[in-house]
Amino acid sequence: MAQCDWREKRRQVMSQARRVVIKVGSAVLAGPDGVDSLVIASLARQIAELVASGREVLLVSSGAVAAGRAVLAGRYDPSFLPHRQAASAIGQSRIMHAYDQEFSRHGRIAAQVLLTRDDLDNRERYLNLRNTLSTLFALGAVPVINENDSVAISELVYGDNDCLAGLLVGTVGADLFVNLTSARGVFAENPDENPTAKPMECIDNIADLDLDAMCGAKTTLGTGGMYSKLLSARRVAQLGVPTLILAGREDGALTQAFGDQGVGTFIVSGCKPITRRKFWLAYHHEPQGTLTVDDGAVRALKDKGKSLLPAGIVDVAGEFPVGSMVRVAAVSGEVVALGLCNYASGDLRKIMGLKSTRIAQVLGEAAYEEAVHRDNLLLDPAI
C-alpha cells in the first residue's frame, strides 16, 4: 500500500472508530509495588476522554497476578499454579479498585468482567456476554475484562490476554483493536541487538509476515511477547478490523494516536472480511484432531472454495466426536484450514479416501457428503 494511502486509511480509522477494544499487558502495568498507579491513572484518563468523545471502549487488562504477587511477597512461588491462581484472586480486587477509583475521577463507571475460555466456547454464554457488554456500553460504563485465572485450569486458559482481546474484538463488533505494549511499536529488527532500530509505522499485509522469523520461534510457554500480539492482529484483520500497537507507558500516547499523530505501528486489515460466525467457530474452539489431505484437496479448498470430501483425506489424527473442530493440514504439515467435522474420527477413518457415493455402503448411511462443509470452514487460520 502506498505511503499516502495507509496514512489516509489510518486517519479515517482513528477518526471514525466508534467501538474500540484496548488491551494492556502486565509489562505496561508493572510497578515496584505490583502495578504502577500512575500508569493506571493515565490510562483511565485517556479512555475517559475517548468515551466522552462518543466512543465505546472495552478494556482488556492484565496485572492481577502481578498485583497479588507483590502482596504475597516471599510466600509466592511463580512455578506453582495454585500460587498463581491465589495471586490472581488477591490482586484482581486491588487492580479493579484502582481502575474504579481512577475512572470515577472522570465521571465514568468501571465494570469488571472475568472470563474463562469456556465462557466463549459455549454459544449461549457467548451471546449472553455480548448482550451484557452491549448494555454496559449503552449505560456509558467501561467494561474491564481479564481472564479468570483464579479458577482457570490448563485446558481452559487463553494463555495470554492478547488472544482474549482479539476474540473479544469479534464478540463486540469492534472497529479498532489497540494493543498497548512496553515497546513503541513493532520493530523489524530486535532493538536490543540493534539500538538504532526504529518501530515500523505500518504493516500493510500481516498475513504475509513470517512471525517465527520476525519474533523468534514461539516458545513452549506460548504466551505474551510481540509474537502473540501480531498473531492476534492477524486474526482480527480477518474480520476487517485494523490494529494499532502502541507504547502503553508513554503518558498521552493513546490520546495522541486518536489525535492524528502517527505514533505506534498501524496494521492494516487488507483482506476480505470473514463472518463473525466463522471467526467464532475457528478461534473459540480448541481443535480436537487433524485431517491430513492430499494436494488435490488443498487446491480444491484454497483455489476453488470447495468443501472437504472424504476422498481427499489421507490420515485422521486424534479421537473426536461428530461436530468437533479439527485442523485440515497438507501432507507437508501446513495447516490450511480449521473446520467443524461432520463425522466422528472412527467413522472418518473408515471412509477416508473413498468417494462420497460409497459412504452409505461403509457406514450404513450417508449423513453428509462432505467431511467438512465450506460454510463451517476457515481457510488460512492464524494459529
Side-chain angles (χ1 to χ4, degrees), residues 30 44 52-53 67 102-103 109 135 143 167 188 197 231 251 270 327 336 349 357:
S53 71
E102 294 303 329
F103 275 114
I109 300 169
T135 302
L167 297 178
L231 186 63
D251 188 31
R327 305 174 194 85
V336 297
R349 289 189 182 96
T357 53

Side-chain angles (χ1 to χ4, degrees), residues 207-208 234 238 272 278 291 293-309 312 328-338 372-374 377-382:
D208 288 345
R234 181 180 286 181
Q238 293 180 316
K272 181 180 178 181
K278 280 199 174 186
L291 312 183
V293 301
D294 60 27
D295 292 343
V298 171
R299 288 193 296 271
L301 294 172
K302 300 187 76 169
D303 300 338
K304 300 178 181 179
K306 300 291 186 179
S307 299
L308 175 62
L309 302 179
V328 179
V331 175
S332 65
E334 175 196 2
V335 177
V336 297
L338 294 173
V372 181
H373 195 278
R374 64 183 181 183
L377 182 138
L378 175 65
L379 292 171
D380 300 319

Side-chain angles (χ1 to χ4, degrees), residues 133-151:
L133 295 175
S134 293
T135 302
L136 289 171
F137 287 142
L139 294 172
V142 178
V144 181
I145 293 182
N146 192 6
E147 186 174 4
N148 194 355
D149 295 318
S150 297
V151 300

Side-chain angles (χ1 to χ4, degrees), residues 68-150:
R69 183 176 58 211
V71 176
L72 290 170
R75 292 168 290 174
Y76 177 73
D77 180 358
S79 66
F80 190 39
L81 176 60
H83 276 201
R84 296 201 303 274
Q85 292 175 312
S88 176
I90 293 168
Q92 186 62 45
S93 60
R94 285 164 171 78
I95 196 169
M96 198 61 213
H97 178 65
Y99 278 124
D100 193 45
Q101 279 191 315
E102 294 303 329
F103 275 114
S104 67
R105 295 182 197 278
H106 306 284
R108 293 296 163 191
I109 300 169
Q112 177 179 255
V113 181
L114 297 176
L115 299 173
T116 63
R117 181 159 200 146
D118 195 43
D119 293 320
L120 294 185
D121 283 353
N122 182 285
R123 187 67 177 173
E124 183 177 355
R125 270 182 279 174
Y126 169 83
L127 294 174
N128 287 339
L129 171 66
R130 196 166 71 181
N131 291 337
T132 298
L133 295 175
S134 293
T135 302
L136 289 171
F137 287 142
L139 294 172
V142 178
V144 181
I145 293 182
N146 192 6
E147 186 174 4
N148 194 355
D149 295 318
S150 297

Side-chain angles (χ1 to χ4, degrees), residues 152-363:
I153 57 176
S154 58
E155 289 84 356
L156 294 178
V157 295
Y158 287 99
D160 61 74
N161 274 338
D162 294 316
C163 174
L164 174 59
L167 297 178
L168 288 168
V169 167
T171 303
V172 301
D175 306 306
L176 174 66
F177 178 33
V178 179
N179 204 325
L180 301 177
T181 78
S182 56
R184 290 180 293 119
V186 181
F187 289 76
E189 298 178 84
N190 188 337
D192 293 333
E193 298 175 359
N194 180 7
T196 63
K198 295 181 179 180
M200 303 164 67
E201 292 184 298
C202 176
I203 297 174
D204 61 6
N205 194 344
I206 192 168
D208 288 345
L209 285 185
D210 185 340
L211 300 189
D212 284 342
M214 189 172 184
C215 306
K218 190 176 181 181
T219 67
T220 54
L221 293 175
T223 61
M226 194 54 70
Y227 184 102
S228 66
K229 290 168 179 56
L230 291 174
L231 186 63
S232 290
R234 181 180 286 181
R235 287 184 176 183
V236 303
Q238 293 180 316
L239 285 169
V241 177
T243 295
L244 179 65
I245 296 181
L246 194 62
R249 293 189 66 86
E250 292 185 7
D251 188 31
L254 192 56
T255 301
Q256 292 172 29
F258 280 89
D260 200 24
Q261 295 189 39
V263 292
T265 299
F266 182 66
I267 301 175
V268 181
S269 56
C271 56
K272 181 180 178 181
I274 63 173
T275 64
R276 279 203 279 173
R277 175 183 174 275
K278 280 199 174 186
F279 187 83
W280 179 77
L281 286 175
Y283 297 128
H284 290 260
H285 299 80
E286 191 68 24
Q288 302 301 303
T290 301
L291 312 183
T292 301
V293 301
D294 60 27
D295 292 343
V298 171
R299 288 193 296 271
L301 294 172
K302 300 187 76 169
D303 300 338
K304 300 178 181 179
K306 300 291 186 179
S307 299
L308 175 62
L309 302 179
I313 301 173
V314 298
D315 186 54
V316 177
E319 301 297 328
F320 49 85
V322 173
S324 295
M325 177 60 61
V326 295
R327 305 174 194 85
V328 179
V331 175
S332 65
E334 175 196 2
V335 177
V336 297
L338 294 173
L340 296 182
C341 192
N342 288 332
Y343 290 94
S345 54
D347 286 341
L348 202 54
R349 289 189 182 96
K350 296 175 183 177
I351 60 174
M352 68 180 189
L354 302 180
K355 292 184 177 180
S356 298
T357 53
R358 294 194 55 197
I359 294 175
Q361 290 179 262
V362 176
L363 299 182

